[in-house]
């Protein structure tokens, strides 16, 4: 697929501080792309560069084959939904939504028709004449969305689109956003600090930290194959063990880890050498826990005791204390219904995981 | 036993809550009543006295006006003073001149004050407080002194004329002092802070995302200013204009010091009627008409504002 948005070597300095540091990125048409990172990682600055509110210190931005790097915001085929929603308080809902078309000089009758359509899309038709201060948070969010899509931009930028909503509403709105994106075929670029939001919404995610991308990939790639410790830590929870490569075979990699108190078997790879320091990461849900010693010899096995447990209904979370006092997080599905807990505090247990569940991080 | 006790306890707490509630209500009423009382004593009562005097006739006595009610308590006043105000063209012309002068000063204050307030509101926190201090700083010096200073600046051989002659733009000093222009400058200078401060207050509160949103939707910087900034600054603009226009309208000191003897403005006429002619009733009538001239447009403006803020249904 042809790259629709091409970001090439973008840097943005504020004084000496590089908010965005030599970032390149291609986004395809129709993607729902998320830029994920903590506060101050540069994600909002990058979004503002795409919108035209900030000029990059270096680099270029192309949208649909046109270099827009130096175009002012009002000339770009891009619209933005602000985190604060930025709804004009002195205009009715309909006037807010119509604003973009008015500035474009669209005929009055057309404006009315398209405003109605947009309000239908976000289910706010009955609220057209309301003033913004008479709307709930969720309604304001949808006004902001309707206003941002009415010009049918090539790219829609969304700055923390769901951050201001409560949990229930956030979940519903997530799917609404995806449906709308699907219906309109607009390329969405979302900036968020919420990994769950990024995971459910996006076709691809870029994890950003200190002005750079640490990893770009599908939610699955980012979650299952994190490239470094930061990404692994940032998305979901993960157990990490430092270790040294002990043995490299055709299909397996054996890592000696003092932290885990054992040797860990991982799938073979060729970009490591014996003696190299690596970090082994295993997700809690990939670890089996039980009272009996597992018999599969390939699996990594460690003994421990149940240090803490949490019953969440669908899941149980365990904190298993190893012999060397390190804590390993394990989560397991409560598949069977039972009146008593499967494991209790201070139970002696075995934990184990498969070689292919292990992510080997080189950095 | 136990339920009865519990009921007793509940009863006590309820009563305690009740008295707390009542004192709370009382204080709320006091708080609301205080400004009304203030207005009653220092505005409405004097206004009633002035109104009463305006219906009397001047006499040479102490006090220098006739009683509005005679010994039997019947009304003995007349609207003669108001009739006189209407028939003598001088007053109408003076009122009009005052309105024009105050309006011109207000517009100049707005034209100067808006960019200044805008600049202050958009500057960073430390420069902002410094700039605000500079705006308020002239208040440390007596108003009278500051007006006198303008006399020194605008004299025929004052700073401005000397400077212009030194540069060579003019050969003869131009008459600045004792003209309408001097009054205009004096008014605008004196009341500028009253325009800047309320404007600053509204502009400073404004969400900058709104302007970016307008630009994002296709408005140029100028367009976004007129579509978003200006209408949202309306309350500040109105407050500033009223704070300048109203005192400028009745201003006495500035026209007296900077204006010429023929520069008749209503504040000066009012002063002269009271203290030179000692015609208290006529002066009172002048004051009442001035008040009406100011109050009527404000009421209309506020009604307009209330209508604007009403939700569209």
């Amino acid at each position: 697929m042809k790259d629709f948005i091409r970001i090439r070597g973008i840097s943005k300095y504020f004084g000496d501080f590089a908010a965005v540091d030599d970032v390149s990125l291609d986004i395809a048409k129709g993607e729902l792309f998320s830029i994920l990172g903590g506060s101050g990682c540069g994600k909002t600055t990058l979004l503002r560069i795409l919108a035209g509110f900030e000029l990059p210190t270096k680099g270029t931005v192309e949208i649909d084959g046109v270099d827009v790097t130096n175009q002012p915001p009002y000339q770009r085929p891009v619209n933005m939904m602000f985190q604060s929603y930025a709804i004009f308080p002195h205009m009715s809902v309909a006037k807010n939504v119509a604003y973009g078309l008015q500035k474009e000089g669209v005929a009055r009758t057309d404006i009315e028709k398209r405003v109605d359509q947009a309000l239908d899309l976000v289910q706010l038709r009955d609220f057209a004449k309301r003033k913004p201060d008479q709307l709930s948070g969720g309604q304001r969010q949808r006004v902001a969305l309707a206003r941002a899509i009415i010009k049918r931009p090539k790219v829609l930028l969304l700055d923390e689109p769901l951050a201001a909503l409560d949990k229930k509403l956030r979940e519903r709105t997530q799917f609404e956003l995806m449906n709308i994106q699907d219906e309109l075929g607009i390329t969405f670029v979302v900036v968020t600090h919420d990994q769950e939001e990024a995971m459910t919404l996006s076709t691809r995610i870029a994890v950003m930290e200190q002005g750079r991308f640490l990893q770009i990939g599908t939610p699955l790639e980012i979650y299952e194959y994190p490239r470094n410790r930061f990404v692994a830590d940032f998305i979901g929870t993960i157990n990490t063990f430092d270790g040294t490569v002990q043995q490299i075979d055709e299909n397996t990699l054996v890592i000696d880890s003092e932290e885990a108190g054992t040797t860990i078997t991982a799938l073979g790879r060729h970009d490591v050498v014996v003696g190299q320091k690596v970090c082994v990461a295993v997700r809690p849900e990939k670890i089996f826990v039980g009272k009996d010693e597992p018999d599969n010899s390939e699996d990594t096995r460690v003994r421990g005791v149940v240090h803490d447990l949490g019953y969440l209904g669908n899941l149980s979370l365990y904190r298993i204390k190893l012999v060397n006092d390190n804590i390993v997080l394990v989560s397991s599905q409560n598949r069977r219904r039972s009146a008593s807990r499967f494991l209790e505090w201070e139970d002696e247990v075995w934990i184990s995981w498969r070689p292919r569940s292990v992510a080997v991080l080189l950095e | 036993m136990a339920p009865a006790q519990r009921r007793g306890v509940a009863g006590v707490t309820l009563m305690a809550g009740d008295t707390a509630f009542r004192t709370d209500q009382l204080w709320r009423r006091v708080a609301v009543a205080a400004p009304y009382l203030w207005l009653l004593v220092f505005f409405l009562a004097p206004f009633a006295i002035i109104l009463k005097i305006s219906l009397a006739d001047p006499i040479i006595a102490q006090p220098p006006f006739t009683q509005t009610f005679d010994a039997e308590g019947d009304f003995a006043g007349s609207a003669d003073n108001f009739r006189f105000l209407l028939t003598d063209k001088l007053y109408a012309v003076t009122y009009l001149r005052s309105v024009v002068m105050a309006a011109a000063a207000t517009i100049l204050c707005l034209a100067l004050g808006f960019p200044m307030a805008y600049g202050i509101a958009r500057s960073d926190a430390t420069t902002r407080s410094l700039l605000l201090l500079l705006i308020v700083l002239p208040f440390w010096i007596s108003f009278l002194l500051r007006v006198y200073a303008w006399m020194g600046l605008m004299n025929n051989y004052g700073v401005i004329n000397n400077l212009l002659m030194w540069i060579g733009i003019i050969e003869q000093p131009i008459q600045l002092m004792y003209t309408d222009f001097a009054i205009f400058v004096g008014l605008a200078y004196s009341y500028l802070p009253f325009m800047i401060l309320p404007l600053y207050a509204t502009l400073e509160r404004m969400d900058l995302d709104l302007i970016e949103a307008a630009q994002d939707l296709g408005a140029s910087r100028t367009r976004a200013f007129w579509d978003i900034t200006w209408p949202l600054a309306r309350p500040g603009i109105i407050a500033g204009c009223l704070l300048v226009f109203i005192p400028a309208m009745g201003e006495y000191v500035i026209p007296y010091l900077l204006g010429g003897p023929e520069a008749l403005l209503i504040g000066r006429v009012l002063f002269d009627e009271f203290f030179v002619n000692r015609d208290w009733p006529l002066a009172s009538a002048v004051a009442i008409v001035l008040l009406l001239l100011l109050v009527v447009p404000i009421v209309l403006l506020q009604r307009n504002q209330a209508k604007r803020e009403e939700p569209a249904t």
Side-chain angles (χ1 to χ4, degrees), chain A residues 51 53 72-82 85-88 91 93-106 143-153 155-156, chain B residues 209-220 223-224 227-228:
Chain A
F53 297 130
Y74 51 89
Q75 284 172 359
R76 297 191 182 201
V78 168
N79 283 127
M80 176 147 157
M81 198 178 115
F82 290 75
Y85 306 147
I87 296 170
F88 306 136
M91 297 183 193
V93 167
K95 287 223 174 94
N96 261 283
V97 176
Y99 188 82
L101 294 181
Q102 270 171 11
K103 297 305 119 180
E104 216 176 59
V106 176
V143 174
L145 181 64
R147 191 180 68 177
I149 58 174
I150 196 147
K151 289 179 79 179
R152 300 190 190 126
V155 179
L156 180 66
Chain B
D209 278 356
L210 296 176
I211 296 155
E212 288 193 341
Q215 287 185 38
D216 185 66
L217 291 165
S220 62
R223 198 62 251 163
D227 285 350
I228 310 298

Side-chain angles (χ1 to χ4, degrees), chain B residues 28-65:
Chain B
R28 190 172 304 168
R29 267 176 216 159
V30 168
V32 172
Y36 283 102
L37 202 71
W38 176 275
L39 284 177
L40 187 78
V41 172
F42 293 106
F43 182 75
L44 218 56
F47 178 75
I49 295 169
I50 297 286
L51 186 65
K52 180 173 161 282
I53 298 174
S54 75
L55 298 172
D57 284 326
I59 46 168
I60 299 171
Q62 193 64 264
F65 51 87

Side-chain angles (χ1 to χ4, degrees), chain A residues 1-7 26-31 62-66 77 153-155 185-187:
Chain A
M1 204 189 300
K2 194 175 165 287
D3 297 321
F4 195 62
I5 305 174
R6 290 156 71 94
I7 297 171
D26 292 322
I27 298 173
K29 194 178 165 89
E31 261 200 283
E62 254 177 51
I63 293 171
D64 200 11
V66 180
K154 288 180 175 169
V155 179
I186 298 173
T187 308

Side-chain angles (χ1 to χ4, degrees), chain A residues 168-185:
Chain A
K168 270 264 152 61
L169 196 59
R170 193 156 62 211
E171 278 164 13
R172 217 180 59 208
T173 315
Q174 247 171 33
F175 291 105
E176 273 178 14
L177 263 185
M178 290 163 78
N179 288 339
I180 285 170
Q181 198 259 350
D182 205 39
E183 206 165 310
L184 301 175

Side-chain angles (χ1 to χ4, degrees), chain A residues 109-327:
Chain A
T109 46
D110 278 356
I111 292 182
E112 274 171 32
K113 212 165 65 193
R114 280 169 69 178
V115 167
D116 281 347
Q117 277 173 3
L119 288 177
D120 271 343
L121 192 67
V122 296
Q123 295 155 31
L124 277 181
R125 192 153 194 179
D126 298 338
F127 295 83
K129 287 190 174 145
R130 294 264 189 114
K131 279 283 178 75
D133 56 6
Q134 298 170 297
L135 300 177
S136 72
Q139 289 164 343
R140 293 164 72 87
Q141 193 254 10
R142 285 184 283 164
V143 174
L145 181 64
R147 191 180 68 177
I149 58 174
I150 196 147
K151 289 179 79 179
R152 300 190 190 126
K154 288 180 175 169
V155 179
L156 180 66
L157 308 172
L158 301 100
D159 190 2
E160 305 273 5
L162 308 174
L165 305 179
D166 63 60
K167 194 170 184 296
K168 270 264 152 61
L169 196 59
R170 193 156 62 211
E171 278 164 13
R172 217 180 59 208
T173 315
Q174 247 171 33
F175 291 105
E176 273 178 14
L177 263 185
M178 290 163 78
N179 288 339
I180 285 170
Q181 198 259 350
D182 205 39
E183 206 165 310
L184 301 175
I186 298 173
T187 308
F188 277 31
V189 179
V190 179
V191 149
T192 179
H193 70 278
D194 183 341
Q195 43 122 342
E196 210 177 304
E197 186 177 312
M199 295 285 285
T200 41
L201 277 177
S202 328
T203 51
R204 283 196 303 153
I205 298 173
V207 181
M208 202 171 180
E209 167 68 4
Q210 292 186 335
R212 291 170 168 275
F213 290 146
L214 296 183
Q215 188 169 357
I216 301 168
T218 63
L220 191 138
E221 284 167 352
I222 300 268
Y223 187 79
E224 303 288 359
Y225 301 95
R227 209 181 286 157
N228 55 46
R229 197 192 280 252
F230 182 88
V231 175
D233 265 340
F234 195 79
I235 314 279
T237 35
I238 202 157
N239 298 292
T240 53
F241 310 100
D242 288 328
T244 345
V245 177
Q246 198 177 53
Q247 191 188 324
I248 304 171
D249 290 338
E250 181 73 12
N251 296 321
T252 56
L253 189 68
V254 179
I255 296 141
D256 181 36
S257 168
E258 214 170 289
E259 264 185 5
T262 182
T263 54
I264 299 168
T265 314
L267 291 186
R269 52 195 287 177
H270 299 289
D271 53 351
V272 288
V273 291
V274 173
Q276 185 175 345
K277 295 238 182 284
V278 292
C279 176
V280 174
V282 194
R283 297 271 179 208
E285 74 277 8
K286 305 248 178 342
I287 302 180
F288 301 100
V289 59
K291 288 178 179 164
D292 307 319
E293 178 167 10
D295 46 11
N296 196 335
S297 64
E298 273 195 335
D299 292 0
T300 305
R301 286 166 287 178
V302 202
R303 284 181 67 92
V305 292
V306 177
H307 183 65
D308 214 343
L309 62 84
Y311 173 76
L312 303 184
N314 57 340
L315 290 177
S316 285
L317 296 182
Y318 301 101
R319 288 159 67 81
I320 307 293
K321 194 187 223 172
L322 305 184
V323 183
N324 60 13
D325 277 357
N326 280 335
I327 299 280

